[in-house]
């Protein structure tokens, strides 16, 4: 199981993502024993216990519990690792969303890793707080060691609907692996739009990064199109190396997703991200 210290170190490395998301889209990290705004009789721990039923506050500031409730992986099939036998949860990421014109709350719980799993188990939960709080849906969004909301956290697809953006990642000495998942919130359920895998590399001769940006061009109905762009940039390493330094180059790879009414889902206009993932795999 990944240690608590390792999870905290990984979280610190991701703080630029988290701070940006918090500022732009109101992602917050409240104390689990604090009251939900507008619902003083309900705490975030009460909501978390709908996912991990025996979760309880410990003396060290972490909430501890057993395995979570049964749930599917957002990508379907056999994707995703197993949940750990015991949970040590310091907090959760909280993000309000709109779906079908209704206000909902999402919480992202990074539960860590099972002992025999290379992937973390991270729960994205959807709540209805109108009246008595209800858990509407919960999915595992973990595809790597640690999972987070990715900047900008969510995208407005219209006046009453949002899409969410999560990311799973891990780093080693000179490589960073990031899996980003676009998720539609529809009919009080999470539905996958697509997964985008990127790979950063920092060696003596060069630094290569693959950064994502998101746009919602136009006002298509019932859901706006989503344009995702990967900026693949290489810069010279700036050190004396046995191999010659690389030239500075950069290019964009874009895919646009449009809502297909007949298929009742988003469809992409190219397989460019699949080709990118295949090219990246050759560099691992």
């Amino acid at each position: 199981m990944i240690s608590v210290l390792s999870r905290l170190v990984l979280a610190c490395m991701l703080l630029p993502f988290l701070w940006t998301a918090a500022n732009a889209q109101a992602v917050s990290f409240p104390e689990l024993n604090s009251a939900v705004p507008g619902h003083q009789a309900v705490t975030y721990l009460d909501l978390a216990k709908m996912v991990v039923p025996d979760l309880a506050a410990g003396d060290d500031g972490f909430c501890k519990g057993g395995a979570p409730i049964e749930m599917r992986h957002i990508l379907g099939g056999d994707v995703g690792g197993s949940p750990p036998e015991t949970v040590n949860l310091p907090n959760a990421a909280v993000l309000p969303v709109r779906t079908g014109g209704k206000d909902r709350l999402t919480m992202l719980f990074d539960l860590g890793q099972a002992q025999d799993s290379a992937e973390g188990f991270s729960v994205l939960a959807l709540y209805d707080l109108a009246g008595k709080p209800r858990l509407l849906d919960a999915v595992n969004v973990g595809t790597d060691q640690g999972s987070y909301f990715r900047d900008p956290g969510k995208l407005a697809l219209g006046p009453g609907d949002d899409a969410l953006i999560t990311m799973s990642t891990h780093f080693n000495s000179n490589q960073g692996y990031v899996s980003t998942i676009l998720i539609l919130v529809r009919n009080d359920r999470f539905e996958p739009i697509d997964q985008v895998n990127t790979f950063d590399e920092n060696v003596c001769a060069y630094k290569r990064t693959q950064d994502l940006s998101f746009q919602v061009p136009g006002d298509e109905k019932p859901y706006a199109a989503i344009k995702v762009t990967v900026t693949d940039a290489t810069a010279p390493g700036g050190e004396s190396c046995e191999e010659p330094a690389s030239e500075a180059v950069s290019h964009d790879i874009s895919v646009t997703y449009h809502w297909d009414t007949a298929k009742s889902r988003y469809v992409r206009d190219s397989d460019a991200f699949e080709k990118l993932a295949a090219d990246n795999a050759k560099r691992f």
Side-chain angles (χ1 to χ4, degrees):
M1 180 188 301
I2 188 171
S3 68
V4 171
L5 178 60
S6 298
R7 290 167 64 189
L8 291 176
V9 169
L10 187 59
C12 289
M13 296 176 71
L14 268 291
L15 280 177
F17 288 110
L18 305 181
W19 287 334
T20 304
N23 291 331
Q25 292 291 341
V27 174
S28 61
F29 302 87
E31 297 279 344
L32 286 178
N33 60 4
S34 63
V36 178
H39 304 270
Q40 294 305 308
V42 180
T43 66
Y44 291 103
L45 180 56
D46 293 329
L47 300 181
K49 290 175 69 172
M50 296 181 188
V51 173
V52 181
D54 64 348
L55 195 67
D59 296 333
D60 57 358
F62 285 73
C63 290
K64 305 177 187 298
I69 60 175
E70 290 286 333
M71 68 189 71
R72 70 195 185 280
H73 196 281
I74 186 63
L75 298 178
D78 297 327
V79 178
S82 302
E85 293 182 1
T86 59
V87 170
N88 289 286
L89 190 64
N91 58 19
V94 175
L95 180 62
V97 294
R98 297 269 291 166
T99 174
K102 299 176 182 178
D103 293 320
R104 298 290 188 245
L105 187 76
T106 61
M107 294 180 68
L108 181 57
F109 307 95
D110 190 334
L111 302 185
Q113 291 174 256
Q115 189 171 4
D116 59 349
S117 177
E119 299 173 341
F121 195 95
S122 298
V123 179
L124 181 64
L126 180 68
Y127 299 93
D128 177 6
L129 300 183
K132 183 179 179 180
R134 294 186 297 140
L135 176 65
L136 301 173
D137 197 14
V139 293
N140 177 15
V141 295
T143 58
D144 210 324
Q145 291 181 3
S147 296
Y148 312 86
F149 283 116
R150 178 163 192 156
D151 175 27
K154 63 183 178 182
L155 301 169
L157 305 178
D161 292 284
D162 293 322
L164 297 172
I165 311 171
T166 65
M167 60 183 287
S168 294
T169 184
H170 84 275
F171 301 89
N172 58 34
S173 60
N174 64 344
Q175 295 176 328
Y177 306 82
V178 182
S179 167
T180 300
I181 304 178
L182 282 167
I183 301 170
L184 177 65
V185 188
R186 185 167 73 116
N187 298 326
D188 285 332
R189 298 273 290 179
F190 295 122
E191 300 180 4
I193 298 174
D194 202 5
Q195 177 186 26
V196 183
N197 294 312
T198 51
F199 177 54
D200 294 347
E201 191 173 17
N202 189 1
V203 296
C204 182
Y206 65 89
K207 179 179 181 180
R208 184 173 177 181
T209 58
Q210 295 178 342
D211 295 326
L212 265 69
S213 61
F214 306 87
Q215 294 177 297
V216 183
D219 56 355
E220 297 179 17
K221 305 295 183 181
Y223 303 109
I226 303 170
K227 182 179 180 181
V228 182
T229 300
V230 175
T231 299
D232 192 342
T234 300
E239 300 181 19
S240 297
C241 308
E242 294 182 0
E243 56 185 306
S246 298
E247 295 183 0
V249 294
S250 178
H251 69 282
D252 289 343
I253 305 164
S254 296
V255 172
T256 300
Y257 303 85
H258 297 274
W259 182 256
D260 188 312
T261 301
K263 296 180 179 179
S264 192
R265 61 179 175 86
Y266 272 97
V267 295
R268 58 195 178 194
D269 64 358
S270 82
D271 60 355
F273 290 155
E274 288 186 348
K275 293 179 179 178
L276 176 65
D279 290 341
N280 284 340
K282 297 174 184 176
R283 298 193 288 127
F284 291 171

